[in-house]
C-alpha cells in the first residue's frame, strides 16, 4: 500500500457510495412525486435504504417508486456508455467493461477507467436489485404485481421463498467465486426474507384472534404500582398478581404507563430504589371493539409494553400486553430465536 493507491481506492469507495446514493435518491424522489413521504436516506457499507413510513396506494405508483432506484442506475450507466463510446477506442472499452471480451489491447486512462467503472457498477446495481427476491426492489415490484390477483398473503409467501432460494444461490456462487461480500449480501437477503415470511405468518395468526383472547381484566383489590413505590414493593406486587406487566399510577390514581417484571429483574440492582426509572411513562389506549392486529401495531409503533382498554365512558376494561401476544404466537422456532436475543 502506498498513498497513491490509498487515495485511488478511497476515491473508488466514494464513487460506489455515490452510485448507491443516486439509487436511493431515485426511490425517494419518485416517492415524493407520488405524494408519499420519504424522510431520510441511510447509507451503510453494503448498501442503503430510503425510509418511507407509508407505501404508495396505487399499484403503478408502488411499482414506479420501487423501479425508480434501478432506473436511476440505468440512466447513469447509459450516460457513461455514451461518453465512453465517444472516446478513442470507445467500442473496445465498452466491450471490456461489460466483460464481453476479456482482454484489452489499449491502456485506459483515468477518465476511461472511471467511466467504465460507472457503466459496469451501475448496471450491476440496477439488475442485481431487480432480482425477483425479497427485500430487493425486484421482489417488492413482483409482490405488488402479485398482490392483486393473489392477495397479500400468497404474494408475500412467493417473494420471500424466492428471496430464500435466490439468496442461498447467490451465497453458494459467492463462496465458489471467493467473494465474501457476495456471501454476506446474500446472507442478508435470506435473513430479511425469513423475517418477512415470519412476520406475514404472525399477522395471519393474529388476524384470527381478537382482543378478548389476550385481554387481562383487573382483579378485585388489585395492587396498583405507584410512582413513589420502591423496587421491592413493586416486585411483591408482581408476585401477588402473577402478571408479567403492571399498570403504573400517579398519586391521583391516573395511569401513567406500565412496568415490566422482566425489566426489573434484569436492571434493578438496589431493591430500595424508586421504581420510577424502570417504568415506561407512555401507553396506548384502545377500545374493546378494536381489531387486535391494529392495537398490536400501535403498541409496536409506540414501542411500549401494552395497551389499556377502556370503554366508551372511559371506564377501565382491562389490559393487553405484548408479552401475552408473544405467548399466543409461541412456536418452538420462536422460542429458539428468543434464546439468541
Ligand atoms: Zn432500491
Amino acid at each position: 500500500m502506498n498513498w497513491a493507491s490509498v487515495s485511488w481506492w478511497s476515491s473508488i469507495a466514494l464513487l460506489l457510495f455515490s452510485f448507491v446514493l443516486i439509487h436511493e435518491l431515485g426511490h425517494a424522489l419518485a416517492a415524493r412525486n407520488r405524494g408519499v413521504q420519504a424522510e431520510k436516506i441511510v447509507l451503510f457499507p453494503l448498501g442503503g435504504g430510503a425510509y418511507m413510513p407509508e407505501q404508495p396506494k396505487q399499484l403503478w405508483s408502488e411499482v414506479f417508486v420501487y423501479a425508480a432506484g434501478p432506473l436511476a442506475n440505468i440512466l447513469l450507466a447509459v450516460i457513461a456508455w455514451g461518453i465512453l463510446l465517444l472516446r478513442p477506442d470507445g467500442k473496445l472499452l465498452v466491450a471490456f467493461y461489460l466483460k464481453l471480451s476479456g482482454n484489452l489491447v489499449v491502456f485506459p486512462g483515468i477518465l476511461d477507467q472511471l467511466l467504465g467503472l460507472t457503466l459496469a457498477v451501475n448496471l450491476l446495481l440496477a439488475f442485481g436489485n431487480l432480482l425477483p427476491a425479497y427485500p430487493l426492489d425486484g421482489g417488492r415490484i413482483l409482490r405488488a404485481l402479485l398482490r392483486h390477483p393473489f392477495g397479500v398473503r400468497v404474494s408475500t409467501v412467493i417473494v420471500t421463498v424466492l428471496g430464500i432460494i435466490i439468496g442461498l444461490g447467490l451465497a453458494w456462487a459467492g463462496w465458489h467465486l471467493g467473494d465474501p461480500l457476495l456471501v454476506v449480501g446474500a446472507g442478508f437477503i435470506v435473513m430479511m426474507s425469513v423475517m418477512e415470511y415470519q412476520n406475514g405468518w404472525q399477522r395471519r395468526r393474529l388476524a384470527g384472534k381478537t382482543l378478548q383472547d389476550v385481554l387481562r381484566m383487573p382483579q378485585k383489590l388489585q395492587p396498583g404500582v405507584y410512582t413513589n413505590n420502591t423496587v421491592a414493593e413493586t416486585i411483591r406486587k408482581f408476585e401477588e398478581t402473577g402478571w408479567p406487566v403492571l399498570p403504573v399510577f400517579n398519586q391521583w390514581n391516573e395511569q401513567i404507563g406500565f412496568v415490566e417484571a422482566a425489566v426489573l429483574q434484569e436492571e434493578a440492582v438496589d431493591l430500595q430504589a424508586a421504581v420510577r426509572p424502570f417504568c415506561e411513562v407512555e401507553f396506548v389506549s384502545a377500545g374493546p371493539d378494536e381489531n387486535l392486529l391494529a392495537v398490536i401495531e400501535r403498541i409496536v409503533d409506540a414501542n411500549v409494553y401494552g395497551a389499556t382498554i377502556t370503554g366508551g365512558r372511559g371506564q377501565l376494561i382491562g389490559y393487553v400486553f405484548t408479552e401475552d401476544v408473544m405467548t399466543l404466537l409461541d412456536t418452538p422456532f420462536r422460542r429458539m430465536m428468543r434464546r439468541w436475543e
Side-chain angles (χ1 to χ4, degrees), residues 168-183:
L168 288 175
L170 287 176
W172 181 85
W175 181 264
H176 281 267
L177 294 170
D179 185 343
L181 227 58
L182 184 56
V183 176

Side-chain angles (χ1 to χ4, degrees), residues 79-252:
I79 293 172
W81 193 322
I83 300 176
L84 210 52
L85 278 181
L86 294 176
R87 305 279 302 161
D89 301 311
K91 274 190 178 151
L92 279 176
L93 290 167
V94 167
F96 174 71
Y97 282 108
L98 294 181
K99 280 272 158 70
L100 298 175
S101 76
N103 39 23
L104 192 59
V105 283
V106 292
F107 185 75
I110 284 199
L111 178 65
D112 292 335
Q113 288 186 43
L114 290 181
L115 284 168
L117 206 67
T118 306
L119 170 63
V121 171
N122 278 287
L123 285 182
L124 193 69
L125 274 175
F127 291 104
N129 274 295
L130 283 174
L131 285 174
Y134 189 86
L136 303 174
D137 296 325
R140 292 173 194 267
I141 291 171
L142 182 65
R143 177 160 68 173
L145 293 174
L146 291 177
R147 188 153 54 224
H148 290 263
F150 298 115
V152 178
R153 184 180 147 182
V154 174
S155 53
T156 298
V157 169
I158 291 175
V159 296
T160 51
V161 168
L162 275 173
I164 295 168
I165 294 170
I166 292 176
L168 288 175
L170 287 176
W172 181 85
W175 181 264
H176 281 267
L177 294 170
D179 185 343
L181 227 58
L182 184 56
V183 176
V184 174
F188 177 74
I189 292 175
V190 173
M191 195 184 76
M192 292 291 284
S193 290
V194 168
M195 277 165 58
E196 184 66 13
Y197 182 91
Q198 258 213 306
N199 197 351
W201 177 84
Q202 287 179 0
R203 293 175 63 92
R204 280 199 297 287
R205 290 265 319 237
L206 284 183
K209 306 280 180 187
T210 66
L211 270 186
Q212 303 302 322
D213 291 316
V214 282
L215 187 71
R216 280 183 186 261
M217 315 269 215
Q219 300 156 358
K220 271 201 180 109
L221 298 172
Q222 177 175 354
V225 175
Y226 288 85
T227 41
N228 59 355
N229 282 149
T230 62
V231 170
E233 285 167 331
T234 309
I235 289 176
R236 199 161 52 240
K237 284 167 186 177
F238 274 118
E239 283 164 0
E240 284 171 35
T241 53
W243 283 22
V245 180
L246 283 173
V248 180
F249 302 92
N250 64 16
Q251 68 222 70
W252 299 284

Side-chain angles (χ1 to χ4, degrees), residues 19 25 66 98 175 180 200 247 291 306:
F19 298 155
L25 274 173
Y66 292 136
L98 294 181
W175 181 264
N291 177 277

Side-chain angles (χ1 to χ4, degrees), residues 7 43 58 69 72 193 211 225 236 243 253 264 270 280:
S7 61
L43 297 179
Q58 293 92 12
S193 290
L211 270 186
V225 175
R236 199 161 52 240
W243 283 22
N253 265 323
L264 274 193
D270 180 8
E280 205 155 58

